[in-house]
Amino acid sequence: MPFTNCSDRDGMIIGICNGFQALVKSGLLPYGRIKDLDENSPTLAHNAIRRHISQMVNVKVLNDESPWLKGMKDQVFTIPISHGEGRFMASEAEIQKLYENGQIATQYLDLEGNIAHGMPFNPNNSLFGIEGITSPCGKSSVEWGIQNVLQKV
């Protein structure tokens, strides 16, 4: 039986870097199931400066409902990132749904602890500083820097 829905199996999925892109482009994130996407679906685009970026960033864990982030809510981590297509894009309506469903996992912060909306603290210029999201069930999670967060706890 092919996997098409998060609830099909009781496993967990994590997508880092290209794995993040694959989960978003398949619909598993943020919808929790493989589906055809349209122009309103969340996606990842080239960084706003149109080149690869490697630097240290601050990210805050907004929601720890995901087993991957349990006990980390409101913690801030300084992590390395390195990518060329990491700009999270979605319509305002889709982003509002993600917030309401608790699916925004991590956001970029500036040095004062505010959501970073652009360079240099949000290096790819992701909308609303979104660095990572989860599926509705929380068992699929993707963040560019989660491997670094998990190593620190």
Side-chain angles (χ1 to χ4, degrees):
M1 177 175 175
F3 176 84
T4 59
N5 191 314
C6 263
S7 62
D8 287 349
R9 299 183 182 159
D10 194 28
M12 294 178 14
I13 301 171
I14 189 166
I16 299 168
C17 200
N18 289 347
F20 184 172
Q21 291 173 312
L23 291 174
V24 171
K25 300 287 186 182
S26 71
L28 282 170
L29 285 165
Y31 304 111
R33 65 192 184 325
I34 295 173
K35 66 174 263 172
D36 291 329
L37 304 179
D38 61 34
E39 65 276 357
N40 297 313
S41 300
T43 192
L44 294 169
H46 287 279
N47 297 337
I49 63 170
R50 312 267 316 142
R51 67 175 173 80
H52 188 271
I53 297 173
S54 294
Q55 72 179 63
M56 300 298 287
V57 296
N58 292 329
V59 296
K60 180 178 182 178
V61 177
L62 261 60
N63 187 329
D64 68 353
E65 294 298 315
S66 168
W68 295 107
L69 301 170
K70 248 330 159 213
M72 294 186 218
K73 185 172 183 172
D74 295 326
Q75 291 186 42
V76 176
F77 297 92
T78 301
I79 60 170
I81 57 96
S82 183
H83 50 78
E85 296 180 39
R87 184 167 43 139
F88 186 82
M89 305 287 292
S91 69
E92 284 193 41
E94 285 290 327
I95 289 175
Q96 184 63 37
K97 284 185 213 173
L98 293 174
Y99 274 110
E100 289 170 0
N101 293 338
Q103 290 179 253
I104 307 295
T106 52
Q107 284 180 302
Y108 294 107
L109 298 181
D110 65 20
L111 295 178
E112 286 78 44
N114 301 309
I115 297 169
H117 292 283
M119 294 286 288
F121 305 107
N122 174 348
N124 48 35
N125 206 29
S126 287
L127 292 176
F128 297 93
I130 296 171
E131 192 267 343
I133 61 173
T134 66
S135 63
C137 68
K139 291 186 176 182
S140 296
S141 184
V142 292
E143 295 88 21
W144 287 107
I146 194 166
Q147 74 271 22
N148 299 296
V149 171
L150 294 175
Q151 289 173 2
K152 291 181 184 230
V153 291

